[in-house]
Amino acid sequence: MANLIDIYHKLLEHFGEQGWWPAETEFEVIVGAILTQASSWTNVEKAIENLKSEGLLSPEALLQASEEKLRRLIKPVGYYNAKTLKLKRFVEFLHENYEGDLDKLFDRDTEKLRLELLSVWGIGQETADSIILYAANKPTFVIDAYTKRIMSRLGLVNEDTTYSDLKKFFELQLPGDLEIYKEFHALLVELGKNYCKTKPLCGKCPIRDICAEWKSSSKRN
Ligand code: SF4
């Protein structure tokens, strides 16, 4: 059976280091993690540029900004009404519980931090884990739709595996290394975007030699 570390090294060799998350500050990571829910990264970049040009990429500035203004600035990402509220709920939470100070929030241990983030309206497991990994710099594995699809096609998990079980699957097999967690998630996204698409391009995939889906489709053809 394929081993996760081998997969990681093969992907790293093929795609090179990804250096995620593309952001200048921890707060920008958080804003990006909320805005990217069900949106392409290209559109998130446009929304972040809009917020940046209005000086709104800080917890205090977002807290003071009107919802109407935020809706206009983040419009490129779609679902902008809901996402405006999600951004607002996060900065209100930070202001009320941590005096608006991200360092104080990130001082919590990983499990407590995760529970606190999940208690904020609009922050689900993938967003919480992205914030913990890429903004708080603590090792927690991020699961997304690409990861689930790839692992299931490789034959390593069932299609209906839950977020928590898949997260455990990674964390039990990998060393608890922050940089590996950061890179591996980014590499799986690259694989999903470039090869393991809805209709997979297996012939060029860098991990096809260890993939159950590829082996069974090769036998059929
Ligand atoms: S070989 Fe095909 S199905 Fe398997 S991981 Fe690669 S692209 Fe996905």
Side-chain angles (χ1 to χ4, degrees):
M1 185 193 266
N3 138 345
L4 288 180
I5 272 291
D6 288 347
I7 295 172
Y8 168 72
H9 285 297
K10 280 177 196 279
L11 294 178
L12 189 60
E13 192 179 322
H14 184 83
F15 292 113
E17 270 184 33
Q18 301 298 301
W20 272 27
W21 184 287
E24 286 171 13
T25 63
E26 292 164 352
F27 187 64
E28 190 178 324
V29 173
I30 296 170
V31 171
I34 291 172
L35 294 184
T36 199
Q37 296 171 355
S39 296
S40 74
W41 188 253
T42 314
N43 289 333
V44 173
E45 280 176 331
K46 288 179 196 156
I48 285 187
E49 271 316 304
N50 291 346
L51 292 169
K52 222 178 251 181
S53 66
E54 295 281 333
L56 293 181
L57 269 186
S58 73
E60 194 55 36
L62 260 194
L63 188 68
Q64 301 303 332
S66 73
E67 289 182 10
E68 192 193 341
K69 187 172 188 180
L70 287 182
R71 277 196 290 275
R72 182 168 50 80
L73 295 172
I74 68 165
K75 202 165 185 180
V77 296
Y79 305 102
Y80 50 89
N81 286 321
K83 287 182 183 175
T84 292
L85 294 179
K86 289 177 183 186
L87 291 175
K88 279 288 188 187
R89 292 299 93 86
F90 177 77
V91 288
E92 285 161 8
F93 155 82
L94 190 66
H95 179 73
E96 283 159 20
N97 298 283
Y98 294 95
E99 300 160 341
D101 186 344
L102 275 181
D103 289 340
K104 286 188 181 155
L105 170 65
F106 292 162
D107 268 351
R108 312 225 72 178
D109 75 43
T110 307
E111 270 318 298
K112 284 193 185 126
L113 173 58
R114 193 166 191 271
L115 287 174
E116 289 230 27
L117 289 171
L118 289 172
S119 74
V120 181
W121 182 80
I123 296 190
Q125 299 197 83
E126 184 183 337
T127 308
D129 287 327
S130 299
I131 292 172
I132 296 169
L133 182 61
Y134 294 107
N137 287 305
K138 294 173 191 278
T140 189
F141 208 85
V142 180
I143 303 299
D144 70 346
Y146 288 132
T147 307
K148 200 166 174 180
R149 179 159 77 199
I150 294 163
M151 290 297 124
S152 135
R153 285 177 173 170
L154 287 173
L156 296 178
V157 299
N158 294 326
E159 258 176 63
D160 54 0
T161 307
T162 62
Y163 186 103
S164 306
D165 284 346
L166 195 45
K167 178 171 156 58
K168 257 187 242 152
F169 177 77
F170 276 90
E171 292 179 353
L172 288 173
Q173 287 191 55
L174 294 175
D177 183 297
L178 182 65
E179 291 313 314
I180 291 180
Y181 278 31
K182 284 183 171 182
E183 273 300 317
F184 204 171
H185 172 61
L187 289 164
L188 288 166
V189 171
E190 271 311 286
L191 184 74
K193 281 201 304 202
N194 291 289
Y195 301 109
C196 206
K197 304 173 179 211
T198 313
K199 195 166 180 243
L201 303 173
C202 302
K204 294 183 177 169
C205 175
I207 53 172
R208 66 184 179 281
D209 57 325
I210 48 172
C211 180
E213 176 98 0
W214 166 246
K215 282 177 194 158
S216 65
S217 68
S218 307
K219 272 185 206 152
R220 284 197 300 269
N221 296 331

